Amino acid sequence: MITERQEELATLHALGLLEDAEQRALAGELAGNAELAALITLLDDTAVQLTLAAPTVVPPAGLKNRILEACTEPGRSAAAAPAEAPVVGFPLWRIAPWAMAAALMIAATWLASHNLSLQSENDALRTERKLAEIAYQAAQAQLKERSLLAEGMINDLGHQLHEQQDLTRLKVTALASLAGNTPEAQAIAVWDPSRETGLLTVDKLPAVRENQDYQLWVVDPAYPNPVDGGVFKPGADGHVVLTFKGNKPIKSVAAFAISLEKKGGVPKAEGPIVLLGKVPPI
Amino acid sequence: MLLVSVLSLGFCGLCAPRGDTSRTGRVTMGNASQPSDDNRHAAQRALLAAMARGERNALAGLYDQLAGPLYSLAFRMLGDNGEAQDLVQDIFLQVWRSAATYESGRGSVFSWMATLTRNRAIDRIRMRKRRGELLGNAAPELQPSALGGEEDSAGSLWLREKSAAVRSALAELAPDQRQAIELAYFSGLTQQEIAAKLSEPLGTIKARIRRGLLRLKDRLPARL
């Protein structure tokens, strides 16, 4: 009795379609199954006959001669097989010492070869280890270098961020002529609340007499009177750049003012205010 | 592919001898053709034996008898004249060199050489990078100059009869079975590739091949 599965394996075999697992399965099914073996034979014959289903095409005329010319060597035949060599008797004991010597020689050669092989392998492993160490050190150095670079970059970024934060904290004010007594003068005051210091830049401020000074005032609502920010004298071109600081702690700045005072300044503004600028609330 | 070749030729070493006359359930082509087939097989075996002795005339005789169907098979599978020629030349050279190894118990000379040709063609197909291109040309248009022209020798008549019988039996199969079998035999595709090409489940393809080949077995003579 042949099952459908066996038939399937047999047909796939006939067409050369069996996969490895199926090949093994068929071999297993074949064990002691003569009926299946006969079926396989028949199906193989059937499959070969499909050759004749190919459309008939006549081989090119020159092919036959080409094949015949290529067959220059005679075919292998049983008759052409070399004759068996005559058997010559040879007592075994005669070759025993030679055999032992040969065996020892082979063993010694093998051991020497094996030793050389192990040495070579050992050298190779050492070299490999050295190379690995070098690679490790190089990797470590590279890592350290990258770490430093990264640290520097982080610091730079921190500085930049800090500076940006500082900039946002700074209060910038343009001072304008209050009474038209210095119409062309231009002044800008920058105040850093965290450091309680400022930078004043003035242009085209009229020159003053020898016994006079301009005095800068910081208006802080915490005090009844403006806080003294120091005195200064512009150059011939009316240009002044100076850093200033209040003579009292400044909590908040509402405005900056510049007055014309007697030389050396006064504790409380007395002279005319020439420039004034209010600090805009944030 | 060598494995396939070995399996195709050697696996049947496990099977019943081909000369077994106990086959049943098979429709033959008529008793009248049987002696003729046997004589032909004997003549081809004799040619092989002569080739094994180095007789080139025997090779020429075998070529006259079998080059046609083998070349047609190679051309059908490879779709290329040059490759088909190379392949057939390789096969005849191989047979020339290994003629002494042929065992008649494992099938006819034609079966042996056809199996060698097909396996070698499948090797070539699978080695090709341009498999897709080949599949598109799996059934090439026959070149008019290559068609016909066979001499009406006894050999060619015999081949024509056999070919007509195989084609007729193949034509009687359901189209889907015929298609699956032709793809399996001539294209060198695997089961999965056939299933993919026909857009059918693998189990369906296996069933079609099983039914189709079993039916062919019942329609064709036991031995070519």
Side-chain angles (χ1 to χ4, degrees):
Chain A
M1 177 65 185
I2 295 177
T3 64
E4 271 195 9
R5 170 65 175 157
Q6 290 171 334
E7 282 181 345
E8 182 178 280
L9 291 173
T11 51
L12 293 175
H13 169 265
L15 292 171
L17 293 177
L18 282 181
E19 293 176 347
D20 290 345
E22 291 171 331
Q23 192 77 57
R24 287 192 295 274
L26 181 58
E29 299 279 356
L30 256 177
N33 192 339
E35 194 180 357
L36 179 58
L39 176 66
I40 288 174
T41 303
L42 289 174
L43 288 171
D44 285 352
D45 281 339
T46 302
V48 167
Q49 292 186 59
L50 288 169
T51 297
L52 297 177
T56 304
V57 187
V58 179
L63 181 58
K64 183 177 178 182
N65 285 337
R66 221 168 66 201
I67 291 173
L68 290 174
E69 284 167 10
C71 296
T72 51
E73 295 175 7
R76 220 186 306 159
S77 72
E84 287 184 14
V87 179
V88 179
F90 195 81
L92 192 60
W93 60 268
R94 282 193 187 177
I95 62 166
W98 292 103
M100 285 179 66
L104 281 172
M105 179 69 78
I106 290 170
T109 307
W110 181 83
L111 282 172
S113 157
H114 189 59
N115 188 32
L116 282 175
S117 167
L118 285 175
Q119 277 183 353
S120 168
E121 195 176 345
N122 195 21
D123 288 346
L125 285 172
R126 281 183 185 171
T127 306
E128 198 174 335
R129 186 179 168 183
K130 278 182 185 173
L131 286 174
E133 281 176 358
I134 291 169
Y136 174 71
Q137 285 168 0
Q140 266 194 330
Q142 200 173 6
L143 187 63
K144 193 174 178 182
E145 189 180 336
R146 286 185 182 177
S147 175
L148 287 173
L149 186 65
E151 193 178 346
M153 287 173 70
I154 290 169
N155 285 338
D156 286 349
L157 283 172
H159 282 306
Q160 285 177 17
L161 187 62
H162 192 65
E163 283 171 6
Q164 283 175 1
Q165 285 172 344
D166 283 350
L167 284 175
T168 58
R169 283 200 307 269
L170 296 180
K171 295 182 183 301
V172 182
T173 304
L175 283 72
S177 173
L178 186 65
N181 46 11
T182 54
E184 294 183 349
Q186 297 172 347
I188 291 178
V190 179
W191 179 253
D192 182 352
S194 61
R195 297 176 185 168
E196 295 187 20
T197 56
L199 179 72
L200 178 70
T201 304
V202 184
D203 271 322
K204 297 179 182 175
L205 194 62
V208 295
R209 291 194 294 268
E210 189 59 30
N211 61 344
Q212 286 183 315
D213 275 329
Y214 285 112
Q215 187 164 5
L216 176 66
W217 304 97
V218 182
V219 180
D220 182 350
Y223 301 103
N225 296 313
V227 177
D228 177 19
V231 296
F232 63 93
K233 240 185 186 61
D237 57 354
H239 181 73
V240 173
V241 177
L242 63 94
T243 57
F244 63 92
K245 198 174 176 75
N247 66 350
K248 294 178 184 173
I250 306 295
K251 293 180 180 174
S252 66
V253 178
F256 295 101
I258 296 174
S259 63
L260 184 60
E261 303 292 349
K262 61 183 180 186
K263 190 173 176 64
V266 293
K268 182 180 172 185
E270 297 171 355
I273 302 294
V274 294
L275 292 170
L276 176 69
K278 290 185 179 176
V279 177
I282 295 175
Chain B
M1 198 60 236
L2 179 60
L3 179 62
V4 175
S5 308
V6 170
L7 289 172
S8 297
L9 293 173
F11 195 34
C12 284
L14 300 170
C15 311
R18 304 259 169 159
D20 185 3
T21 55
S22 64
R23 295 186 180 97
T24 56
R26 177 181 286 259
V27 177
T28 67
M29 294 180 72
N31 291 335
S33 65
Q34 198 62 36
S36 171
D37 285 352
D38 288 342
N39 290 343
R40 190 167 303 281
H41 295 148
Q44 289 174 354
R45 284 198 299 272
L47 287 173
L48 268 190
M51 286 165 62
R53 293 190 298 271
E55 294 178 21
R56 288 174 68 187
N57 285 343
L59 175 61
L62 192 67
Y63 179 92
D64 290 340
Q65 290 192 25
L66 300 182
L70 297 182
Y71 182 81
S72 300
L73 172 64
F75 184 77
R76 171 68 175 81
M77 293 183 73
L78 299 172
D80 181 88
N81 267 323
E83 276 204 275
Q85 287 184 50
D86 289 346
L87 177 55
V88 170
Q89 178 171 343
D90 287 348
I91 296 300
F92 274 97
L93 288 180
Q94 180 181 346
V95 169
W96 168 252
R97 294 192 185 105
S98 58
T101 65
Y102 168 71
E103 293 176 26
S104 60
R106 293 192 174 178
S108 67
V109 175
F110 174 76
S111 296
W112 182 41
M113 294 184 69
T115 304
L116 287 175
T117 303
R118 177 170 177 259
N119 289 342
R120 204 70 75 80
I122 290 173
D123 283 347
R124 284 178 178 245
I125 289 170
R126 291 183 180 167
M127 276 192 294
R128 280 181 185 176
K129 300 283 184 189
R130 53 189 177 91
R131 161 167 280 191
E133 180 188 341
L134 177 74
L135 294 180
N137 300 326
E141 292 295 324
L142 297 179
Q143 297 179 6
S145 60
L147 283 171
E150 286 182 89
E151 296 171 7
D152 276 344
S153 65
S156 66
L157 284 173
W158 175 80
L159 273 176
R160 274 192 215 173
E161 284 177 11
K162 294 289 182 188
S163 299
V166 174
R167 286 171 192 154
S168 170
L170 205 52
E172 287 177 18
L173 298 183
D176 54 358
Q177 293 174 4
R178 182 171 66 247
Q179 189 182 27
I181 286 175
E182 284 184 337
L183 275 176
Y185 193 75
F186 291 114
S187 71
L189 296 178
T190 63
Q191 302 171 30
Q192 283 83 2
E193 287 168 334
I194 295 170
K197 186 171 177 64
L198 298 180
S199 304
E200 295 284 359
L202 184 58
T204 303
I205 295 303
K206 287 181 176 178
R208 285 179 186 174
I209 288 174
R210 179 177 63 82
R211 293 192 198 104
L213 200 60
L214 287 172
R215 191 164 175 204
L216 274 183
K217 171 183 73 71
D218 293 337
R219 298 290 305 164
L220 292 175
R223 187 178 183 184
L224 190 67

